[in-house]
Amino acid sequence: MAFKIGLLGLGTVGAGTVQILQDPAQRHPLVQELAIYRVGVRSLDKPRTVTLPPEQLTTDLASIVTDPSVDIVVELIGGLEPARSLILKAIEHRKHVVTANKAVIARFGAEIYTAAAQAGVYVLLEAAVGGGIPVIEPLKQSLCANRIHSVTGIVNGTTNYILTRMKNEGGDFAQILADAQQLGYAEADPTADVDGFDAADKIAILASLAFGGRIKLEEVYCEGIRGVSATDIAYAEQLGFVIKLLAIAKRASQPTPDSLDHLQVRVHPTLVPKQHPLASVNDVYNAILIEGTPIGQVMFFGPGAGAGPTASAVVADILNIAAILKVERGCAVQPSGLPLLDPLLACSHQHYCTVAPISDVVTRFYARFLTKDFPGVIGKLGTCFGHHEVSLESVVQIDRRSDTAEIVVVTHDVKEGNFRRALEEICTYPAVEQIASTFRVL
Ligand code: HSE
């Protein structure tokens, strides 16, 4: 029996989610059991990038969250209202909820999770922070044996894009922002991003998960990037830093009797040492560095926005809920009496995959030859590689010791078998003393 999804919103992320659900091949088998049941939209006539049966679309979003057939409500309309009310109504009707809405969760998380606990339903939000980057589930599950000390993130792609361009081009904030808006990297109203509010919502959510308590959004210090100038970026560069908008949550440095709950949660432009792992996170990318005991440092990096990446996180949450529902429903009807295992945790495949032999692998190669320093040796190597369909990207004679030449070649992508056959032939050349090393190049 399929799990029925009631989708609220068919914008960028909604359409990305539909695309995944409509194309389950080569994904987890559980994706095939997810059925788009109803889709709530603002306008029925708007042109869409995805095709859905017209009878699935409705402008009556409340009818979706109250529909007894819907198992999971997926809220992707964004904004505060009606998103908050629809989430609460869905919970009231005992629907599990998946949302990408950081603004609602950061402001009304207490209300929503209290209602969810009372109704016995889940509200999952992997897509709300870091787009496609899995960070919520790791904080809740994979890292739960750790005592977390800090969460430090670049969690806003727009500001990271602007700061990266300011650094690379030496341009000023206003000029790069205007260009970013024209190119679609920044919103027409950029306030939520450039003034740090979007990052503040996200770090409030991360802090809550990392430190196991609620966070009042108004207590999160928030300073955006409008005050960052090209001059500051240039001086920072000279001093060995890059300027990044960091969202930071950490335990207070001064231990107090209640220091377990005593946190700093803040968003501000920060000079980051160039060798720090976050310093090389550029453009629209996001990354979240988590420090804890005993793990030390672990960093999650990836696309922080976009239809596909964010939908990847949305569908992962849907699958988590579907797996729980499957176990609940399956256990009641298992004729064997054995418990049904969670399909995301249990091994569900029996067949073997076909692994290509290394000779079929296509990759670039580096090879270093020691040869006699005769005229025409490089030409002979090139001709031999050519005969074996190995195209060369570069050839360098790096060193010359007495009458020995050291020749290094880097190939284009070639079939490993062809490259090896060329080397076998090259070995037979009297001028070639040694193939000193070969490595694959990424
Ligand atoms: N506006 C956000 C950003 C993307 O620029 O990162 C959605 O969270």
Side-chain angles (χ1 to χ4, degrees), residues 100 102 127-131 155-159 185 187 193 198 202 284 286 304-306 310:
K102 67 238 149 192
V129 182
V155 288
N156 184 268
T158 305
T159 45
Y185 287 104
E187 304 275 348
D193 293 317
D198 172 81
K202 291 167 176 169
V284 292
N286 283 195
T310 311

Side-chain angles (χ1 to χ4, degrees), residues 102-369:
K102 67 238 149 192
V104 158
I105 297 295
R107 283 161 190 77
F108 303 107
E111 182 184 26
I112 287 169
Y113 283 104
T114 301
Q118 279 166 3
V121 296
Y122 293 102
V123 176
L124 301 189
L125 71 162
E126 185 63 69
V129 182
I133 304 172
V135 62
I136 303 288
E137 189 165 306
L139 271 174
K140 280 186 185 170
Q141 297 189 17
S142 324
L143 295 172
C144 62
N146 287 271
R147 187 176 302 125
I148 306 293
H149 305 308
S150 65
V151 178
T152 311
I154 293 173
V155 288
N156 184 268
T158 305
T159 45
N160 204 37
Y161 173 83
I162 293 171
L163 290 173
T164 303
R165 280 198 52 191
M166 286 174 73
K167 176 170 85 74
N168 292 346
E169 298 165 25
D172 257 315
F173 169 76
Q175 161 212 335
I176 306 261
L177 169 62
D179 199 38
Q181 285 171 314
Q182 263 203 335
L183 293 168
Y185 287 104
E187 304 275 348
D189 176 1
T191 305
D193 293 317
V194 301
D195 292 317
F197 304 131
D198 172 81
D201 290 349
K202 291 167 176 169
I203 196 64
I205 292 170
L206 293 177
S208 179
L209 292 166
F211 301 110
R214 288 179 173 153
I215 304 289
K216 292 183 195 133
L217 190 60
E218 61 274 18
E219 291 179 359
V220 177
Y221 175 82
C222 183
E223 182 185 325
I225 65 164
R226 288 185 200 268
V228 179
S229 68
T231 311
D232 297 316
I233 289 178
Y235 275 118
E237 160 91 34
Q238 280 183 32
L239 294 167
F241 298 96
V242 287
I243 300 185
K244 294 288 184 192
L245 182 70
L246 293 190
I248 300 168
K250 62 198 313 192
R251 292 194 193 280
S253 50
Q254 291 299 320
T256 63
D258 63 345
S259 66
L260 273 184
D261 289 336
H262 205 88
L263 307 179
Q264 301 173 9
V265 189
R266 47 196 166 92
V267 172
H268 48 70
T270 314
L271 272 72
V272 179
K274 282 182 189 169
Q275 63 276 15
H276 189 280
L278 288 167
S280 52
V281 175
N282 287 321
D283 301 313
V284 292
Y285 284 97
N286 283 195
I288 299 104
L289 177 72
I290 298 173
E291 293 176 277
T293 300
I295 191 154
Q297 291 189 330
V298 57
M299 191 162 98
F300 301 85
F301 166 85
T310 311
S312 151
V314 168
V315 177
D317 277 349
I318 299 174
L319 287 171
N320 273 318
I321 294 170
I324 292 166
L325 295 178
K326 193 171 170 85
V327 172
E328 276 174 15
R329 290 174 189 177
C331 284
V333 294
Q334 273 287 86
S336 67
L338 289 170
L340 189 77
L341 297 177
D342 181 317
L344 296 182
L345 295 180
C347 174
S348 58
H349 21 83
Q350 281 86 38
H351 74 285
Y352 282 89
C353 298
T354 307
V355 177
I358 193 76
S359 56
D360 283 355
V361 167
V362 172
T363 179
R364 292 193 294 159
F365 278 94
Y366 157 105
R368 181 164 59 90
F369 302 93

Side-chain angles (χ1 to χ4, degrees), residues 71-102:
D71 297 303
I72 305 167
V73 167
V74 179
E75 184 277 303
L76 300 175
I77 54 180
L80 297 182
E81 286 294 355
R84 169 187 156 274
S85 302
L86 288 165
I87 290 172
L88 287 169
K89 199 166 254 314
I91 292 168
E92 195 190 311
H93 284 77
R94 318 241 0 215
K95 313 291 180 204
H96 300 284
V97 174
V98 172
T99 178
N101 197 326
K102 67 238 149 192

Side-chain angles (χ1 to χ4, degrees), residues 366-381 392 394-410 431:
Y366 157 105
R368 181 164 59 90
F369 302 93
L370 301 182
T371 72
K372 299 231 164 33
D373 197 4
F374 290 166
V377 174
I378 288 180
K380 256 192 116 171
L381 292 183
L392 298 184
S394 57
V395 181
V396 192
Q397 183 161 343
I398 286 184
D399 197 6
R400 186 166 185 267
R401 283 180 253 130
S402 63
D403 61 346
T404 300
E406 193 165 38
I407 299 166
V408 169
V409 303
V410 175

